[in-house]
Amino acid sequence: MMDLLDLLHQTMSSPWVYLAIFAIAVLDGFFPVVPSETAVITAGVFAASGAPDLPVVILVAAAGALVGDHVSYAIGRGGGARLLARLPAGGRRRRAVDRARRGIATRGGLILTVARYVPGGRTAVTLTMGAVHFPRRRFLAFDALAAGSWALYSALVGYLGGLAFEQDPLRGLLLGLGLALTVTVLVEAARWARQRRSHRPAAAHQL
């Protein structure tokens, strides 16, 4: 355990950590198995002890997320319509894309921002926005807000955990990850409840 803690301290105190956070955030934009939120939360935890620098962590995480989302948008715009059509009917990814497609026309900016906090949702939304040719300038404006708020939230969640357990950063990391998981669960629960409410009038109308 001490070896792991020493490794984390060495990694987080290295100036290369900012490049690593940027790269992970970029990759997570179009390859969602890369844990960018975990990386930013971890950096936030150790920032409570002085290294890395919290504002820089927020800046590079937001910049990386913005770049990654634009890569995903470009993929969707270049050939996403064909790729989305090939997704298996009834699959989890297909359902996520269908939900994104229906809402983008009326609530594109809000959906893009909220999708930042839904596992896998961000990539589905950005790909779909590209595939349906959502205006690039509007996408940039909304995504800058989404990426910035996500980076700020993730880093501060970790930072609060680091402050709470300044002498035990591993516990601080667990607290930060627990808080992030709680927020994700609440977002998913709210989205599920909203979908239930929207389905009830449709079902009643059919009767």
Side-chain angles (χ1 to χ4, degrees), residues 54-126:
L54 184 65
V56 181
V57 168
I58 295 171
L59 180 62
V60 297
L66 189 67
V67 172
D69 287 350
H70 275 73
V71 172
S72 180
Y73 175 90
I75 293 172
R77 196 175 181 93
R82 293 191 299 272
L83 292 175
L84 295 179
R86 294 175 184 173
L87 291 175
R92 182 177 180 181
R93 290 185 179 180
R94 184 60 175 268
R95 291 197 300 270
V97 168
D98 289 340
R99 286 196 300 268
R101 190 191 298 274
R102 287 193 296 268
I104 281 171
T106 56
R107 304 184 304 277
L110 177 62
I111 289 174
L112 181 60
T113 303
V114 173
R116 268 274 155 199
Y117 304 91
V118 179
R122 176 183 60 217
T123 305
V125 169
T126 52

Side-chain angles (χ1 to χ4, degrees), residues 17 45 76 81 125 131 155-156 170 203-204:
V17 71
V45 169
V125 169
L156 288 181
L170 289 181

Side-chain angles (χ1 to χ4, degrees), residues 5 8-9 12 21 37-54 57 153-179:
L5 188 57
L8 283 173
H9 272 298
M12 291 300 160
I21 292 171
E37 185 170 305
T38 301
V40 178
I41 290 174
T42 302
V45 169
F46 283 87
S49 301
D53 187 67
L54 184 65
V57 168
Y153 149 78
S154 299
L156 288 181
V157 163
Y159 188 76
L160 290 175
L163 287 179
F165 295 97
E166 192 168 354
Q167 303 303 320
D168 192 345
L170 289 181
R171 288 190 179 183
L173 178 58
L174 290 175
L175 175 60
L177 293 174
L179 290 173

